[in-house]
Amino acid sequence: MEIYCLIDSHDFAEEIAPQLAAIETAITEWLTESRSSATVYKDIEGEQPFIGLRINTNRKLTLKKPIDFLYSLSQEHKFECVVGLIENEQHEDVCYFGSEEGAPDIGEIASYLGLEK
């Protein structure tokens, strides 16, 4: 199952772009240190720019560390995140968390995604 955890923004150019270098550096460093199976997932040149993580998993435990990391990053840089499924390269948003939405509940997220383990 292809899952994304992206920074969610109504105005990427104004809200995220000024912090993009710091966010990208933090994501890259975390991926190296954590040895997570997640990968950087971004398109900052498209009509709907985004940056975050892409995770191929059927296990909720695989999601916990990336989601916890993005939540801590959202607190530092004041943004929201969206978690969803990728099917046929189409995004289906499932739930949100972040500086305003609050802490993510991995059990709830796993349930929304249909992950049992």
Side-chain angles (χ1 to χ4, degrees), residues 17-30:
Q19 328 179 67
L20 188 58
I23 291 169
E24 277 191 280
T25 299
I27 290 172
T28 303
E29 288 175 357
W30 180 81

Side-chain angles (χ1 to χ4, degrees), residues 5-85:
C5 300
L6 301 175
I7 293 172
D8 185 50
S9 172
H10 297 293
D11 188 346
F12 192 91
E14 187 175 308
E15 298 170 6
I16 305 304
Q19 328 179 67
L20 188 58
I23 291 169
E24 277 191 280
T25 299
I27 290 172
T28 303
E29 288 175 357
W30 180 81
L31 285 170
T32 300
E33 292 169 11
S34 71
R35 298 183 184 178
S36 173
S37 62
T39 58
V40 174
Y41 187 40
K42 73 177 183 175
D43 177 359
I44 55 173
E45 303 296 326
E47 193 173 305
Q48 298 269 328
F50 63 83
I51 185 166
L53 298 171
R54 186 171 180 155
I55 306 154
N56 186 359
T57 188
N58 290 318
R59 298 174 44 97
K60 74 178 178 181
L61 288 178
T62 305
L63 281 182
K64 183 164 177 30
K65 286 183 181 179
I67 287 175
D68 287 348
F69 163 71
L70 282 178
Y71 178 66
S72 68
L73 197 60
S74 77
Q75 298 304 290
E76 180 181 343
H77 293 280
K78 304 298 181 219
F79 58 75
E80 301 303 304
C81 296
V82 59
V83 177
L85 295 170

